[in-house]
Amino acid sequence: MCVANKRQLTHACAVVWLGALFGLVVSNTANAQANERTVSIGGAVTEILYALGYDSRIAAIDTTSLYPSEALKTKPNVGYMRALSVEGVLSVNPSLIVASEGAGPPAALTALQESGIRMVTVPDDKSPAGVQRKILIVGELVGQRDAARKLADDVDARFVSLAAQRARIEKPKSILFVLSASGGKTLVGGRGTSADAIIALAGATNAAASIEGFKPMSDEAIVGAAPDVVLMMRRENASAGDILATAAFAATPAGKAHALLQMDGNYLLGFGPRAPDAARDLMAALYPELKLPSPPRTDGVDLGHKQ
Amino acid sequence: MGAFIEARALYYTVGHQNIVENATISLPAGRLIIVVGPNGAGKSTLLRLLSGELRPTSGSIVCAGEKLQGTPTWRLARRRAVMAQATQLAFPFTVNEVVRIGLETLGANTRGSEADAIVAQCLRRADILQLACRKYHTLSGGEQQRTHFARVLCQLAAGRRSESAQALYLDEPVASLDLRHQLMLLDAAREIAKSGIAVMAILHDLNLAVAYADELVVMHAGRIVASGNPADVLAGGIVADVFGVDLRLCATPPGNTPFVLPHGHARRVAWRLPTPPVENRFQPLPIQEGATTQRSEPRATLPGIENTSMSFSFWP
Amino acid sequence: MSGAAIEADVLQHVSGMRRRAFLIILLLALLSILLFFIAIVIGAVPIAPARVLAILLKASGFQGVESRASDANVILNIRLPRVALGFEVGAALAVSGALMQGLFRNPLADPGLIGVSSGAGLAAAAAIVLGGKLAPNVASGFALLPVGAFLGGLIATLLIYAISTRDGRTSMATMLLAGVGVGAFCGALTGLLAYWSNDQQLRDLTFWSLGSLNGANWSKTMMIAPIVLPLAVLTSFLGRSLNALALGEAEAYHLGVRVQLVKSLTIGLVALAVGLSVASAGVISFIGIVAPHAIRLLVGPDNRLLLPLAALLGGALLIGADLLARTLVAPAELPLGVITSAIGAPFFLWLLLTRSRGLL
């Protein structure tokens, strides 16, 4: 008796499970039946397209397209930019693929090109000139040259005013960008990274300039680097403040002054049209004495305990 | 009938020790040769040298007219089958599948029902037909040993198609078997020998060895110290020296088959009747004319196995 | 029971087992074909089954309904080679697993024991991290990863084989330990390369090690073909030899098996098969253990049945897993290794629970 019921239960579970799986498969293949035309790969590229007012004709975006937030909510997502699915991209029926530099895998890109879709790679140069170039190239591609020109000029103007403010800084502070500090291993942003570039734009120095790329830094090296401020990306769990309590950081000027800055990662490191604003917000948080004119953005800086 | 295998001056040395020293032995076709000796005397090593598994350090082995070392492995497998002391099995095969491995690995052209018939016959002969569908690892040690006996029989049956000279090597084949199956297996070995195959077996039980052997070989410390007719070998008294045990040689009628009784050992065991005497529940078997109380005629057939008649045709 | 009755009973049981094995072969073959077709019909790009059929018929020479060029492109150049590659890789991994288990006489043996996966992983890491500096030509850069992974796997296997073979005899116990050692060494070097890598390369390495059939094309699919013929031809011979090996190396020798030849042949075939699989699809785990195990639970451990059936089941499993990988989160894609582990493990547990027949 018991056995028969168990068997029936097992069979029922199997049927339900298989049915759900099948439903998921079918519904996803149906959803991918959009009718738009451009696939945007890369957070900066998507931001630029939205800023140019082109968003209605974006067919799909990737997981790094975090701004504006409606992008991820309303557009189909083809996955991580370096692990694109060939058929997935083809399923949104694109006529143009605008890919940020670093999209992949190479085999998938080749297959997409061989399928006859126009694909252009936008170089990712982390500098003011690079941001402008990005905007102009994207604008050219989607036939919005004039709007792109306007946007690029606007971005340029903001960078120029930022440079002017940088000149007013008497004593640059040293910042340590911490990518993650899990499991006792502290990954910092060395030279050549996007963190390094934005720190320089904000008129500070990179405490991890001796390291190249995002690499682990030993506790002793952290103490030796003696950063004035620790900069991190904002996380859901608010336990980031604990990092200053660790032995290594407590011995630094940043630890002693409880100087921890958290900013939205995509905003800070994306190097899209909002790049000058991110640099400006960082500068304002670092040097309050400069009394920078325009108010900080709401999705900008989140100060630590006290500054 | 010629000799199946002839070995001369075999040496097998490991490090500085001679495991087998100056062994000269020949296995004639149609005879059952039993090797006895203390532990570590080199019996198993000698068997492995003769089966081709080990390479002798020096000496020559000629098998069915060819040098043993030059014989390809596949042809050797058709000529001789070896039942080892202990065999592991890594996967849950059934008894039937294990026995079939003996048949099929040779790549002999036995198909379908013919192969089934051979397998069934070998299973019957080893008295495990009723266990054929059981998983090997659920069997007892003795039943597993009988499974391997059936397997080597299948191997011999398969090789018989292409080879006229064959041999069977048995390394302590009755170690885990109960009395009935010990006798059954040795009866089968005797019949296999009668059908023209050279059989060499290693046994520990001296009395069984003496009862079944056509030729008895005694090994000690790597050397063959005696070989020949069992009665002669025992009468020479060498066995007591080799085993280091006091032995008393007795003889039972009819036929004066010799058997040995460990001598001094018996005195160390105290036999006492329980008091009050326990009611004897066992009825003695009716004693037949001319026989003694012990069934000491090893060549008699056992009741209950209907296929062990003297005119049994073993090979299909 | 009388002897004749027992014998009749046994024969009946044996023929019953044979019939059952035949049915299972038939079922598996049908399942594979069905799954193959389903995998071609379903995908991220919605194409009606009738149209799929029309495209396939047109491609094989029959004139039929005109279909959109892009649909034909998707079916013939993207989906069909991917499904074919999936079947080949699954079959190769499953057979390699069965061969390894027969050789090591252990049902838990994995194709990675002979170092192919760790060597291939190291070579792939080197290609990803150092490839840009050593092979700046973009075109050759695409081939660098698969070719490098394949060669890396072969070299690691050769090294392990050389370590464990002495006087013309390979010791499986030594091979196991050598595999551990070489695997650890490759892991250390891979870790070093991961340290040197930049952010992008690190992500590439991670995704590669999770396995994927993305980007499959006909040249990749044809690349695996060289292993199919030798495996098919040698199935009977290897099956019989591995059955005998299950009794131990000495017994196998007595039964006429040339043990060293079988070892070398098996190791060579496994290195080739797994090397090619890893080169085209990255590291995919679980198929090499689940498929042979499942077949053993269904038809028993006879290797002559196990090898071809494991191939069928492995191919079908991987096609199914890939189908899920590319449709569950369409238009994105899950890594294949995640699906094989997530589905393989519960499936295997279910098999064990419902059909526990005393696995050793």
Side-chain angles (χ1 to χ4, degrees), chain B residues 88-111:
Chain B
Q88 300 292 335
L89 188 62
F91 291 100
F93 288 95
T94 59
V95 166
N96 192 45
E97 286 170 335
V98 174
V99 174
R100 286 197 87 99
I101 290 178
L103 192 64
E104 279 151 359
T105 312
L106 266 61
N109 287 328
T110 46
R111 293 256 177 277

Side-chain angles (χ1 to χ4, degrees), chain C residues 12-334:
Chain C
Q12 197 179 33
H13 191 269
V14 168
S15 61
M17 297 289 287
R18 283 213 187 105
R19 254 200 317 263
R20 192 158 162 270
F22 182 69
L23 273 176
I24 290 182
I25 294 172
L26 208 61
L27 220 66
L28 264 179
L30 283 177
L31 176 74
S32 299
I33 295 173
L34 192 66
L35 213 52
F36 200 92
F37 191 67
I38 291 179
I40 296 181
V41 165
I42 299 184
V45 178
I47 303 178
R51 197 174 264 174
V52 173
L53 209 54
I55 293 172
L56 288 173
L57 286 174
K58 185 146 171 274
S60 48
F62 295 93
Q63 285 306 316
V65 181
E66 276 300 315
S67 50
R68 284 201 304 172
S70 57
D71 278 355
N73 179 48
V74 168
I75 296 292
L76 296 173
N77 294 333
I78 294 173
R79 241 186 247 171
L80 195 54
R82 179 167 177 152
V83 173
L85 183 65
F87 189 84
E88 285 173 338
V89 169
L93 289 174
V95 170
S96 303
L99 287 173
M100 283 280 95
Q101 283 149 26
L103 201 62
F104 279 92
R105 295 197 288 285
N106 191 312
L108 296 175
D110 177 80
L113 281 179
I114 53 170
V116 186
S117 317
S118 23
L122 175 60
I128 291 173
V129 176
L130 303 173
K133 297 181 191 128
L134 299 175
N137 182 2
V138 168
S140 74
F142 288 177
L144 188 63
L145 181 53
V147 170
F150 175 64
L151 288 177
L154 277 188
I155 292 174
T157 306
L158 275 173
L159 184 64
I160 291 173
Y161 182 79
I163 292 175
S164 47
T165 305
R166 201 153 286 170
D167 293 330
R169 198 186 150 264
T170 308
S171 156
M172 301 317 293
T174 310
M175 177 167 276
L176 194 62
L177 295 173
V180 171
V182 169
F185 183 66
C186 289
L189 287 182
T190 307
L192 193 62
L193 286 168
Y195 173 78
W196 278 333
S197 67
N198 63 31
D199 199 38
Q200 290 181 337
Q201 290 165 343
L202 194 57
R203 299 254 195 169
D204 282 349
L205 196 54
T206 308
F207 275 104
W208 181 86
S209 66
L210 288 174
S212 166
L213 286 170
N214 196 15
N217 50 32
W218 282 113
S219 60
K220 269 194 189 175
T221 309
M222 287 302 132
M223 197 172 70
I224 293 232
I227 197 62
V228 171
L229 197 61
L231 275 177
V233 162
L234 290 171
T235 289
S236 167
F237 166 70
L238 284 176
R240 281 185 283 126
S241 307
L242 288 178
N243 279 350
L245 262 179
L247 293 164
E249 289 184 21
E251 294 293 347
Y253 167 76
H254 291 141
L255 285 165
V257 173
R258 292 177 59 187
V259 176
Q260 186 56 31
L261 175 68
V262 168
K263 278 183 189 169
S264 311
L265 197 60
T266 306
I267 291 170
L269 283 173
V270 169
L272 201 62
V274 176
L276 286 172
S277 302
V278 168
S280 28
V283 179
I284 298 175
S285 54
F286 237 102
I287 301 281
I289 295 199
V290 170
H293 254 154
I295 299 292
R296 251 185 236 113
L297 289 174
L298 288 172
V299 298
D302 186 352
N303 282 291
R304 289 169 306 155
L305 278 181
L306 181 65
L307 293 179
L309 287 185
L312 273 182
L313 183 62
L317 278 179
L318 204 65
I319 289 182
D322 187 50
L323 180 61
L324 289 173
R326 59 187 163 89
T327 50
L328 275 181
V329 290
E333 197 176 283
L334 286 172

Side-chain angles (χ1 to χ4, degrees), chain A residues 16-27:
Chain A
V16 166
W17 187 65
L18 281 170
L21 215 58
F22 186 68
L24 198 62
V25 166
V26 168
S27 71

